[in-house]
Amino acid sequence: MKYIITCVMALLLFSGVSAQNKADVSLNTKINSIIRKMTLEEKIEMLHGNALFSSGGVKRLGIPELTCDDGPLGVREEIKRFDWNSANWTTDSATFLPNGSAIAATWNPAMAYKYGVVIGEEANARKKNVMLAPAFNICRMPLCGRTYEYYSEDPYLNGQLAIQAVKGIQSQDVAACIKHFAANNQEVNRDNVNAVIDERTLREIYLPAFKAAVEQGNAYTVMSAYNKVNGYWCSENDFLLNKVLKKEWGFKGVVISDWAGVHHTVAAANHGLDIEMGSAGPYDQWYFAKPLLAAVKAGKVSEASIDDKVERVLWLMYHTSLSKNHPKGSIGTLVHSRAAYDIAAESIVLLKNDLHLLPLKPNKIKSIAVIGDNAIRTFASGGFGAGVKAKHELTALEGIKSRFGKTTDIKFAQGYKANYLASRTDDQNAGYDKPDQALINEAVALAKTTDVAILCIGSNREYESEGHDRKTLDLPFGEQALVDAVTAANPKTILVIMAGAPYDLNKIKKSNHTIVWSWFNGSEAGAALADVLEGIINPSGKLPFTFPASLHDSPAFALDTYPGKDTTAYYKEGILVGYRWYDTKKIDPLYSFGYGLSYTDFAYTNLETDKKNYRPGETITLSVKIKNTGGLAGKEVAQLYVSKINPKVLRPEKELKAFKKVMIAPAKTAVVLMNINVNDLAYFDDKLHKWVVEPGEYKILAASSSKDIKQIAIIKITE
Ligand code: BGC
């Protein structure tokens, strides 16, 4: 019987594989027969932009253009074919999805998938084949202007989210374009900075999420970054594009340049770039247009490599625009709003709730002062970089009114002016950090009259923007003065901070008892926030990056490697990025990676492993019991960090290797199961150029944040 079952299973497996193989072979045959019909000129048309967001097709053979559009916040409004001005469509209002660091703060890959599905469906409704999302460069440096677009400082968290975002987008036969490959970690000098990074650091920190998104997410396209890595532009970096991405990771898809990020024809063509994109024409003069044709004719680029690029583009098309039963898509739907709400609701991080002022009990509160420009501000667009023409965006004030307005008197005061535009020079922006005393007085007068004050501060999409980094960690717009004054006027002041990156909250952490962190949280931001304030949603977000106590504690500043000298940035901190640095160097952060409170409490016990000794290739199965010891149902993110005992090479104090978000009812205990592959405990040996699992003892730490270790188990790895 056993024999028969084995045979049947083998047969099924074999026939499954061969069906897939057959499909691959027949697609390859089809693609090759198309390529055989194409002239060299036609092939080259497909390898460069012919407008701002499309590259050429071949009408004669029925090959369409390849169309793309920006995420990551949602599908960007339609702009004109040849300039960045709005095309003034009336059908392109879209769902504004929570920003990257908000998605990361959910610590829930299912939310990243949900995000992806919305992006994919809305892209289809707009007939876009490639969405330029998700973006997940490592948050190396807290001031980076694009931190809000990116996920996290941790490669594992990044990877787990990226895999699901890609799968979600591609579930709709739309290609994800994972970006920016690689090490686009600062905006200052992003067009010419050379990031000098040793191979171990690249392999352990900057590449793993891309690897995961390619190997496990099966991303169809990759965007090469603007900067150089180790002396070579990312758009012509043989190591990154050919050796690692295409050869080692087996990437079958298309490498697309960042916009105007190509510098040479031959180097880019031979070193792995497939499509050149950019902004301004004349398009036939681009590196991958007439100059590429000339380079092929001169024998500097082989026709075989042109065929390989075209084959990749056609392969991409057969998985997207030319896929069978291609979904029609939908845009700005209620279902998509609900997805935006779900993500936002899980992303909000409760930083402090010392007096248990939250959740608010509406029937006990007669009046609320909602204060701060961010209470009425929308975040779907602003600054440089992609925005969304949001079909709707519920502000904090609107959310609070809709939840509390029936029983509570709600009044608003602006409190501060957000006097900063990304398009202005520093001189023009001068004074943006000064408080506005008249607005503060008005806010204080209001706060004195109400039961509770909800103070909505933080930054906005002008202050955090592509194209520039912030200059300081300080809260902008004189907000601290407003916080001090309102807190003194009303002892029941709740701070709500909306931003996409770390800020200096030292004074606030010391002086304020109730602090909630929200983000640029999408179309339903106000509803999600109000539901957290009311306790309809029990907060479960956890910080996806460390908030340093001082900018100078952070590695790139401590080692004076930001923004680099003469456009070279030596990543001297190596593998010690984010909490890896703070923990290893014993520097206390303001808020640690993975931190976030709940309205309930969780107790961890019984961390157990299935065995005590493991070998490379095996899986460590762990279980930990988490009891909800409070009175409200809530979600906890169990985090597993691993720490090598007596390592023979430098290792970070600890590294995240698994996590799981679980809902636990009051008084109930969840047994949380997680797996770690022994091979994932390896470090990259720079000299041997390979991953090495060092034998010996390892601590496994079950934690509620990187600083809050609840349970420890010790295992041994033998060779
Ligand atoms: C950004 C990319 C973006 C592209 C197209 C570039 O400046 O770096 O992330 O996808 O523009 O808008």
Side-chain angles (χ1 to χ4, degrees), residues 100-101 104-105 107 135-140 147 149-159 161 185 543-546 577 579 593 656:
S101 45
W107 284 65
F136 48 86
N137 289 101
I138 288 283
C139 302
R140 168 182 185 243
T147 302
E149 276 188 78
Y150 299 156
Y151 287 155
S152 154
E153 66 188 23
D154 181 79
Y156 179 75
L157 177 58
N158 265 8
L161 298 166
N185 308 111
L543 294 178
F545 30 62
T546 308
V577 174
Y579 67 91
F593 173 76
L656 183 72

PDB file of all heavy atoms in Angstrom, residues 100-101 104-105 107 135-140 147 149-159 161 185 543-546 577 579 593 656:
ATOM      1  N   GLY A 100       5.112  52.855   3.125  1.00  0.00           N
ATOM      2  CA  GLY A 100       5.932  51.661   3.384  1.00  0.00           C
ATOM      3  C   GLY A 100       6.204  51.395   4.849  1.00  0.00           C
ATOM      4  O   GLY A 100       6.035  50.265   5.328  1.00  0.00           O
ATOM      5  N   SER A 101       6.629  52.428   5.591  1.00  0.00           N
ATOM      6  CA  SER A 101       6.959  52.147   6.996  1.00  0.00           C
ATOM      7  C   SER A 101       5.700  51.814   7.799  1.00  0.00           C
ATOM      8  O   SER A 101       5.780  51.124   8.820  1.00  0.00           O
ATOM      9  CB  SER A 101       7.764  53.285   7.631  1.00  0.00           C
ATOM     10  OG  SER A 101       7.245  54.550   7.332  1.00  0.00           O
ATOM     11  N   ALA A 104       5.201  48.198   7.167  1.00  0.00           N
ATOM     12  CA  ALA A 104       6.195  47.447   7.949  1.00  0.00           C
ATOM     13  C   ALA A 104       5.802  47.406   9.421  1.00  0.00           C
ATOM     14  O   ALA A 104       6.041  46.404  10.106  1.00  0.00           O
ATOM     15  CB  ALA A 104       7.569  48.079   7.775  1.00  0.00           C
ATOM     16  N   ALA A 105       5.181  48.481   9.910  1.00  0.00           N
ATOM     17  CA  ALA A 105       4.813  48.530  11.325  1.00  0.00           C
ATOM     18  C   ALA A 105       3.692  47.546  11.660  1.00  0.00           C
ATOM     19  O   ALA A 105       3.475  47.229  12.830  1.00  0.00           O
ATOM     20  CB  ALA A 105       4.397  49.949  11.705  1.00  0.00           C
ATOM     21  N   TRP A 107       3.913  44.539  10.909  1.00  0.00           N
ATOM     22  CA  TRP A 107       4.624  43.264  11.116  1.00  0.00           C
ATOM     23  C   TRP A 107       3.721  42.097  10.704  1.00  0.00           C
ATOM     24  O   TRP A 107       3.697  41.043  11.342  1.00  0.00           O
ATOM     25  CB  TRP A 107       5.062  43.100  12.573  1.00  0.00           C
ATOM     26  CG  TRP A 107       6.253  43.917  12.946  1.00  0.00           C
ATOM     27  CD1 TRP A 107       6.350  45.263  12.987  1.00  0.00           C
ATOM     28  CD2 TRP A 107       7.547  43.422  13.355  1.00  0.00           C
ATOM     29  NE1 TRP A 107       7.605  45.656  13.383  1.00  0.00           N
ATOM     30  CE2 TRP A 107       8.353  44.547  13.627  1.00  0.00           C
ATOM     31  CE3 TRP A 107       8.099  42.145  13.525  1.00  0.00           C
ATOM     32  CZ2 TRP A 107       9.682  44.441  14.049  1.00  0.00           C
ATOM     33  CZ3 TRP A 107       9.409  42.036  13.957  1.00  0.00           C
ATOM     34  CH2 TRP A 107      10.196  43.181  14.207  1.00  0.00           C
ATOM     35  N   ALA A 135       9.003  49.467  -2.643  1.00  0.00           N
ATOM     36  CA  ALA A 135      10.346  50.015  -2.432  1.00  0.00           C
ATOM     37  C   ALA A 135      10.789  49.605  -1.040  1.00  0.00           C
ATOM     38  O   ALA A 135      10.043  49.804  -0.092  1.00  0.00           O
ATOM     39  CB  ALA A 135      10.298  51.533  -2.538  1.00  0.00           C
ATOM     40  N   PHE A 136      11.951  49.016  -0.939  1.00  0.00           N
ATOM     41  CA  PHE A 136      12.331  48.552   0.411  1.00  0.00           C
ATOM     42  C   PHE A 136      13.838  48.593   0.647  1.00  0.00           C
ATOM     43  O   PHE A 136      14.426  47.651   1.159  1.00  0.00           O
ATOM     44  CB  PHE A 136      11.750  47.148   0.692  1.00  0.00           C
ATOM     45  CG  PHE A 136      11.974  46.138  -0.398  1.00  0.00           C
ATOM     46  CD1 PHE A 136      13.138  45.407  -0.451  1.00  0.00           C
ATOM     47  CD2 PHE A 136      11.010  45.934  -1.370  1.00  0.00           C
ATOM     48  CE1 PHE A 136      13.340  44.466  -1.452  1.00  0.00           C
ATOM     49  CE2 PHE A 136      11.197  45.003  -2.383  1.00  0.00           C
ATOM     50  CZ  PHE A 136      12.377  44.266  -2.419  1.00  0.00           C
ATOM     51  N   ASN A 137      14.426  49.728   0.299  1.00  0.00           N
ATOM     52  CA  ASN A 137      15.832  49.880   0.679  1.00  0.00           C
ATOM     53  C   ASN A 137      15.930  49.902   2.199  1.00  0.00           C
ATOM     54  O   ASN A 137      15.008  50.343   2.892  1.00  0.00           O
ATOM     55  CB  ASN A 137      16.410  51.159   0.073  1.00  0.00           C
ATOM     56  CG  ASN A 137      16.568  51.021  -1.430  1.00  0.00           C
ATOM     57  OD1 ASN A 137      15.743  51.520  -2.190  1.00  0.00           O
ATOM     58  ND2 ASN A 137      17.567  50.306  -1.857  1.00  0.00           N
ATOM     59  N   ILE A 138      17.045  49.437   2.688  1.00  0.00           N
ATOM     60  CA  ILE A 138      17.241  49.375   4.143  1.00  0.00           C
ATOM     61  C   ILE A 138      17.297  50.789   4.736  1.00  0.00           C
ATOM     62  O   ILE A 138      17.948  51.672   4.181  1.00  0.00           O
ATOM     63  CB  ILE A 138      18.576  48.630   4.434  1.00  0.00           C
ATOM     64  CG1 ILE A 138      18.422  47.133   4.139  1.00  0.00           C
ATOM     65  CG2 ILE A 138      19.078  48.881   5.845  1.00  0.00           C
ATOM     66  CD1 ILE A 138      17.688  46.330   5.180  1.00  0.00           C
ATOM     67  N   CYS A 139      16.601  50.984   5.833  1.00  0.00           N
ATOM     68  CA  CYS A 139      16.643  52.289   6.501  1.00  0.00           C
ATOM     69  C   CYS A 139      17.947  52.358   7.299  1.00  0.00           C
ATOM     70  O   CYS A 139      18.001  52.052   8.486  1.00  0.00           O
ATOM     71  CB  CYS A 139      15.429  52.471   7.398  1.00  0.00           C
ATOM     72  SG  CYS A 139      13.895  52.327   6.455  1.00  0.00           S
ATOM     73  N   ARG A 140      18.994  52.746   6.579  1.00  0.00           N
ATOM     74  CA  ARG A 140      20.338  52.763   7.171  1.00  0.00           C
ATOM     75  C   ARG A 140      20.513  53.983   8.061  1.00  0.00           C
ATOM     76  O   ARG A 140      21.263  53.974   9.015  1.00  0.00           O
ATOM     77  CB  ARG A 140      21.354  52.791   6.026  1.00  0.00           C
ATOM     78  CG  ARG A 140      22.771  53.087   6.458  1.00  0.00           C
ATOM     79  CD  ARG A 140      23.751  53.158   5.309  1.00  0.00           C
ATOM     80  NE  ARG A 140      25.083  53.329   5.803  1.00  0.00           N
ATOM     81  CZ  ARG A 140      25.845  54.404   5.561  1.00  0.00           C
ATOM     82  NH1 ARG A 140      25.410  55.388   4.787  1.00  0.00           N
ATOM     83  NH2 ARG A 140      27.059  54.496   6.077  1.00  0.00           N
ATOM     84  N   THR A 147      12.598  57.315   3.714  1.00  0.00           N
ATOM     85  CA  THR A 147      12.335  56.306   4.754  1.00  0.00           C
ATOM     86  C   THR A 147      10.845  55.964   4.788  1.00  0.00           C
ATOM     87  O   THR A 147      10.459  54.817   4.965  1.00  0.00           O
ATOM     88  CB  THR A 147      12.801  56.827   6.130  1.00  0.00           C
ATOM     89  OG1 THR A 147      14.188  57.126   6.039  1.00  0.00           O
ATOM     90  CG2 THR A 147      12.564  55.808   7.221  1.00  0.00           C
ATOM     91  N   GLU A 149       8.823  55.738   2.436  1.00  0.00           N
ATOM     92  CA  GLU A 149       8.433  54.832   1.346  1.00  0.00           C
ATOM     93  C   GLU A 149       8.927  53.412   1.615  1.00  0.00           C
ATOM     94  O   GLU A 149       8.386  52.457   1.085  1.00  0.00           O
ATOM     95  CB  GLU A 149       9.073  55.278   0.031  1.00  0.00           C
ATOM     96  CG  GLU A 149       8.324  56.345  -0.705  1.00  0.00           C
ATOM     97  CD  GLU A 149       8.936  56.590  -2.084  1.00  0.00           C
ATOM     98  OE1 GLU A 149       8.681  55.795  -3.000  1.00  0.00           O
ATOM     99  OE2 GLU A 149       9.677  57.574  -2.220  1.00  0.00           O
ATOM    100  N   TYR A 150      10.026  53.321   2.349  1.00  0.00           N
ATOM    101  CA  TYR A 150      10.675  52.031   2.556  1.00  0.00           C
ATOM    102  C   TYR A 150      10.069  51.323   3.768  1.00  0.00           C
ATOM    103  O   TYR A 150       9.246  51.883   4.477  1.00  0.00           O
ATOM    104  CB  TYR A 150      12.179  52.234   2.751  1.00  0.00           C
ATOM    105  CG  TYR A 150      12.865  52.870   1.553  1.00  0.00           C
ATOM    106  CD1 TYR A 150      14.065  53.561   1.696  1.00  0.00           C
ATOM    107  CD2 TYR A 150      12.319  52.786   0.275  1.00  0.00           C
ATOM    108  CE1 TYR A 150      14.706  54.134   0.607  1.00  0.00           C
ATOM    109  CE2 TYR A 150      12.957  53.354  -0.823  1.00  0.00           C
ATOM    110  CZ  TYR A 150      14.145  54.036  -0.654  1.00  0.00           C
ATOM    111  OH  TYR A 150      14.771  54.597  -1.737  1.00  0.00           O
ATOM    112  N   TYR A 151      10.552  50.096   4.000  1.00  0.00           N
ATOM    113  CA  TYR A 151       9.970  49.318   5.088  1.00  0.00           C
ATOM    114  C   TYR A 151      10.697  49.493   6.432  1.00  0.00           C
ATOM    115  O   TYR A 151      10.124  49.948   7.388  1.00  0.00           O
ATOM    116  CB  TYR A 151       9.957  47.840   4.732  1.00  0.00           C
ATOM    117  CG  TYR A 151       8.932  47.411   3.690  1.00  0.00           C
ATOM    118  CD1 TYR A 151       9.154  46.275   2.921  1.00  0.00           C
ATOM    119  CD2 TYR A 151       7.753  48.107   3.491  1.00  0.00           C
ATOM    120  CE1 TYR A 151       8.229  45.841   1.976  1.00  0.00           C
ATOM    121  CE2 TYR A 151       6.820  47.692   2.548  1.00  0.00           C
ATOM    122  CZ  TYR A 151       7.065  46.555   1.791  1.00  0.00           C
ATOM    123  OH  TYR A 151       6.156  46.129   0.867  1.00  0.00           O
ATOM    124  N   SER A 152      11.956  49.078   6.453  1.00  0.00           N
ATOM    125  CA  SER A 152      12.531  48.801   7.762  1.00  0.00           C
ATOM    126  C   SER A 152      14.053  48.838   7.733  1.00  0.00           C
ATOM    127  O   SER A 152      14.664  48.940   6.677  1.00  0.00           O
ATOM    128  CB  SER A 152      12.032  47.408   8.167  1.00  0.00           C
ATOM    129  OG  SER A 152      12.899  46.770   9.045  1.00  0.00           O
ATOM    130  N   GLU A 153      14.649  48.728   8.913  1.00  0.00           N
ATOM    131  CA  GLU A 153      16.111  48.642   8.992  1.00  0.00           C
ATOM    132  C   GLU A 153      16.564  47.181   9.004  1.00  0.00           C
ATOM    133  O   GLU A 153      17.759  46.917   9.065  1.00  0.00           O
ATOM    134  CB  GLU A 153      16.601  49.344  10.258  1.00  0.00           C
ATOM    135  CG  GLU A 153      16.170  48.656  11.560  1.00  0.00           C
ATOM    136  CD  GLU A 153      16.496  49.450  12.813  1.00  0.00           C
ATOM    137  OE1 GLU A 153      16.650  50.682  12.721  1.00  0.00           O
ATOM    138  OE2 GLU A 153      16.598  48.825  13.892  1.00  0.00           O
ATOM    139  N   ASP A 154      15.620  46.258   8.981  1.00  0.00           N
ATOM    140  CA  ASP A 154      15.977  44.848   9.142  1.00  0.00           C
ATOM    141  C   ASP A 154      15.726  44.060   7.858  1.00  0.00           C
ATOM    142  O   ASP A 154      14.610  44.080   7.318  1.00  0.00           O
ATOM    143  CB  ASP A 154      15.149  44.225  10.272  1.00  0.00           C
ATOM    144  CG  ASP A 154      15.515  42.773  10.464  1.00  0.00           C
ATOM    145  OD1 ASP A 154      16.548  42.517  11.099  1.00  0.00           O
ATOM    146  OD2 ASP A 154      14.795  41.897   9.934  1.00  0.00           O
ATOM    147  N   PRO A 155      16.739  43.347   7.373  1.00  0.00           N
ATOM    148  CA  PRO A 155      16.572  42.638   6.112  1.00  0.00           C
ATOM    149  C   PRO A 155      15.523  41.534   6.142  1.00  0.00           C
ATOM    150  O   PRO A 155      14.853  41.287   5.137  1.00  0.00           O
ATOM    151  CB  PRO A 155      17.961  42.040   5.837  1.00  0.00           C
ATOM    152  CG  PRO A 155      18.739  42.192   7.090  1.00  0.00           C
ATOM    153  CD  PRO A 155      18.092  43.257   7.915  1.00  0.00           C
ATOM    154  N   TYR A 156      15.354  40.900   7.286  1.00  0.00           N
ATOM    155  CA  TYR A 156      14.391  39.798   7.342  1.00  0.00           C
ATOM    156  C   TYR A 156      12.956  40.333   7.305  1.00  0.00           C
ATOM    157  O   TYR A 156      12.122  39.860   6.526  1.00  0.00           O
ATOM    158  CB  TYR A 156      14.630  38.945   8.601  1.00  0.00           C
ATOM    159  CG  TYR A 156      13.653  37.801   8.712  1.00  0.00           C
ATOM    160  CD1 TYR A 156      13.780  36.677   7.894  1.00  0.00           C
ATOM    161  CD2 TYR A 156      12.579  37.858   9.596  1.00  0.00           C
ATOM    162  CE1 TYR A 156      12.856  35.639   7.960  1.00  0.00           C
ATOM    163  CE2 TYR A 156      11.660  36.822   9.670  1.00  0.00           C
ATOM    164  CZ  TYR A 156      11.805  35.716   8.853  1.00  0.00           C
ATOM    165  OH  TYR A 156      10.887  34.693   8.916  1.00  0.00           O
ATOM    166  N   LEU A 157      12.683  41.333   8.123  1.00  0.00           N
ATOM    167  CA  LEU A 157      11.340  41.931   8.107  1.00  0.00           C
ATOM    168  C   LEU A 157      11.062  42.484   6.704  1.00  0.00           C
ATOM    169  O   LEU A 157       9.985  42.259   6.130  1.00  0.00           O
ATOM    170  CB  LEU A 157      11.246  43.038   9.170  1.00  0.00           C
ATOM    171  CG  LEU A 157       9.928  43.810   9.247  1.00  0.00           C
ATOM    172  CD1 LEU A 157       8.742  42.886   9.502  1.00  0.00           C
ATOM    173  CD2 LEU A 157       9.981  44.884  10.346  1.00  0.00           C
ATOM    174  N   ASN A 158      12.029  43.190   6.147  1.00  0.00           N
ATOM    175  CA  ASN A 158      11.887  43.702   4.774  1.00  0.00           C
ATOM    176  C   ASN A 158      11.496  42.589   3.799  1.00  0.00           C
ATOM    177  O   ASN A 158      10.576  42.741   3.000  1.00  0.00           O
ATOM    178  CB  ASN A 158      13.233  44.254   4.282  1.00  0.00           C
ATOM    179  CG  ASN A 158      13.356  45.751   4.498  1.00  0.00           C
ATOM    180  OD1 ASN A 158      12.519  46.350   5.139  1.00  0.00           O
ATOM    181  ND2 ASN A 158      14.409  46.325   3.972  1.00  0.00           N
ATOM    182  N   GLY A 159      12.230  41.499   3.883  1.00  0.00           N
ATOM    183  CA  GLY A 159      12.043  40.401   2.927  1.00  0.00           C
ATOM    184  C   GLY A 159      10.673  39.763   3.063  1.00  0.00           C
ATOM    185  O   GLY A 159       9.986  39.517   2.067  1.00  0.00           O
ATOM    186  N   LEU A 161       7.940  41.006   4.101  1.00  0.00           N
ATOM    187  CA  LEU A 161       6.892  41.895   3.589  1.00  0.00           C
ATOM    188  C   LEU A 161       6.988  42.014   2.069  1.00  0.00           C
ATOM    189  O   LEU A 161       5.970  41.996   1.368  1.00  0.00           O
ATOM    190  CB  LEU A 161       7.022  43.274   4.244  1.00  0.00           C
ATOM    191  CG  LEU A 161       6.831  43.259   5.769  1.00  0.00           C
ATOM    192  CD1 LEU A 161       7.303  44.568   6.378  1.00  0.00           C
ATOM    193  CD2 LEU A 161       5.373  42.994   6.136  1.00  0.00           C
ATOM    194  N   ASN A 185      20.298  54.365  -0.150  1.00  0.00           N
ATOM    195  CA  ASN A 185      19.941  54.594   1.250  1.00  0.00           C
ATOM    196  C   ASN A 185      19.965  56.047   1.672  1.00  0.00           C
ATOM    197  O   ASN A 185      19.772  56.358   2.836  1.00  0.00           O
ATOM    198  CB  ASN A 185      20.882  53.793   2.164  1.00  0.00           C
ATOM    199  CG  ASN A 185      20.937  52.343   1.764  1.00  0.00           C
ATOM    200  OD1 ASN A 185      21.949  51.854   1.270  1.00  0.00           O
ATOM    201  ND2 ASN A 185      19.826  51.657   1.926  1.00  0.00           N
ATOM    202  N   LEU A 543       7.379  49.244  15.980  1.00  0.00           N
ATOM    203  CA  LEU A 543       8.278  50.082  15.179  1.00  0.00           C
ATOM    204  C   LEU A 543       9.138  49.229  14.249  1.00  0.00           C
ATOM    205  O   LEU A 543       9.747  48.247  14.687  1.00  0.00           O
ATOM    206  CB  LEU A 543       9.183  50.916  16.086  1.00  0.00           C
ATOM    207  CG  LEU A 543       8.469  51.970  16.926  1.00  0.00           C
ATOM    208  CD1 LEU A 543       9.473  52.690  17.830  1.00  0.00           C
ATOM    209  CD2 LEU A 543       7.730  52.979  16.036  1.00  0.00           C
ATOM    210  N   PRO A 544       9.218  49.636  12.970  1.00  0.00           N
ATOM    211  CA  PRO A 544      10.054  48.875  12.041  1.00  0.00           C
ATOM    212  C   PRO A 544      11.484  49.382  11.991  1.00  0.00           C
ATOM    213  O   PRO A 544      12.296  48.888  11.225  1.00  0.00           O
ATOM    214  CB  PRO A 544       9.357  49.101  10.691  1.00  0.00           C
ATOM    215  CG  PRO A 544       8.720  50.448  10.812  1.00  0.00           C
ATOM    216  CD  PRO A 544       8.389  50.650  12.275  1.00  0.00           C
ATOM    217  N   PHE A 545      11.769  50.414  12.776  1.00  0.00           N
ATOM    218  CA  PHE A 545      13.154  50.904  12.883  1.00  0.00           C
ATOM    219  C   PHE A 545      13.358  51.512  14.267  1.00  0.00           C
ATOM    220  O   PHE A 545      12.402  51.835  14.985  1.00  0.00           O
ATOM    221  CB  PHE A 545      13.507  51.922  11.800  1.00  0.00           C
ATOM    222  CG  PHE A 545      12.355  52.767  11.307  1.00  0.00           C
ATOM    223  CD1 PHE A 545      11.671  53.608  12.158  1.00  0.00           C
ATOM    224  CD2 PHE A 545      11.973  52.718   9.965  1.00  0.00           C
ATOM    225  CE1 PHE A 545      10.622  54.394  11.690  1.00  0.00           C
ATOM    226  CE2 PHE A 545      10.913  53.502   9.492  1.00  0.00           C
ATOM    227  CZ  PHE A 545      10.241  54.339  10.365  1.00  0.00           C
ATOM    228  N   THR A 546      14.637  51.623  14.619  1.00  0.00           N
ATOM    229  CA  THR A 546      15.015  52.180  15.911  1.00  0.00           C
ATOM    230  C   THR A 546      14.851  53.694  15.890  1.00  0.00           C
ATOM    231  O   THR A 546      15.168  54.333  14.883  1.00  0.00           O
ATOM    232  CB  THR A 546      16.513  51.878  16.176  1.00  0.00           C
ATOM    233  OG1 THR A 546      16.734  50.484  15.988  1.00  0.00           O
ATOM    234  CG2 THR A 546      16.927  52.298  17.574  1.00  0.00           C
ATOM    235  N   VAL A 577      23.866  47.607  11.300  1.00  0.00           N
ATOM    236  CA  VAL A 577      22.871  48.601  10.896  1.00  0.00           C
ATOM    237  C   VAL A 577      21.674  48.485  11.838  1.00  0.00           C
ATOM    238  O   VAL A 577      21.299  47.385  12.241  1.00  0.00           O
ATOM    239  CB  VAL A 577      22.430  48.333   9.438  1.00  0.00           C
ATOM    240  CG1 VAL A 577      21.297  49.267   9.039  1.00  0.00           C
ATOM    241  CG2 VAL A 577      23.610  48.502   8.494  1.00  0.00           C
ATOM    242  N   TYR A 579      19.194  48.171  14.850  1.00  0.00           N
ATOM    243  CA  TYR A 579      19.370  47.619  16.206  1.00  0.00           C
ATOM    244  C   TYR A 579      20.614  46.753  16.316  1.00  0.00           C
ATOM    245  O   TYR A 579      21.158  46.573  17.399  1.00  0.00           O
ATOM    246  CB  TYR A 579      18.120  46.825  16.644  1.00  0.00           C
ATOM    247  CG  TYR A 579      17.892  45.570  15.839  1.00  0.00           C
ATOM    248  CD1 TYR A 579      18.432  44.347  16.229  1.00  0.00           C
ATOM    249  CD2 TYR A 579      17.155  45.612  14.668  1.00  0.00           C
ATOM    250  CE1 TYR A 579      18.236  43.198  15.487  1.00  0.00           C
ATOM    251  CE2 TYR A 579      16.956  44.458  13.908  1.00  0.00           C
ATOM    252  CZ  TYR A 579      17.502  43.259  14.321  1.00  0.00           C
ATOM    253  OH  TYR A 579      17.308  42.116  13.570  1.00  0.00           O
ATOM    254  N   PHE A 593      13.744  48.968  18.018  1.00  0.00           N
ATOM    255  CA  PHE A 593      13.157  48.227  16.901  1.00  0.00           C
ATOM    256  C   PHE A 593      12.182  47.187  17.468  1.00  0.00           C
ATOM    257  O   PHE A 593      12.500  46.473  18.416  1.00  0.00           O
ATOM    258  CB  PHE A 593      14.289  47.538  16.148  1.00  0.00           C
ATOM    259  CG  PHE A 593      13.847  46.591  15.073  1.00  0.00           C
ATOM    260  CD1 PHE A 593      13.385  47.060  13.858  1.00  0.00           C
ATOM    261  CD2 PHE A 593      13.913  45.210  15.270  1.00  0.00           C
ATOM    262  CE1 PHE A 593      12.985  46.189  12.857  1.00  0.00           C
ATOM    263  CE2 PHE A 593      13.514  44.333  14.274  1.00  0.00           C
ATOM    264  CZ  PHE A 593      13.047  44.827  13.070  1.00  0.00           C
ATOM    265  N   LEU A 656      17.015  39.344  13.981  1.00  0.00           N
ATOM    266  CA  LEU A 656      15.647  38.822  13.838  1.00  0.00           C
ATOM    267  C   LEU A 656      15.656  37.667  12.829  1.00  0.00           C
ATOM    268  O   LEU A 656      16.168  37.814  11.721  1.00  0.00           O
ATOM    269  CB  LEU A 656      14.730  39.939  13.322  1.00  0.00           C
ATOM    270  CG  LEU A 656      13.252  39.582  13.195  1.00  0.00           C
ATOM    271  CD1 LEU A 656      12.602  39.470  14.566  1.00  0.00           C
ATOM    272  CD2 LEU A 656      12.507  40.632  12.360  1.00  0.00           C
TER     273      LEU A 656
END
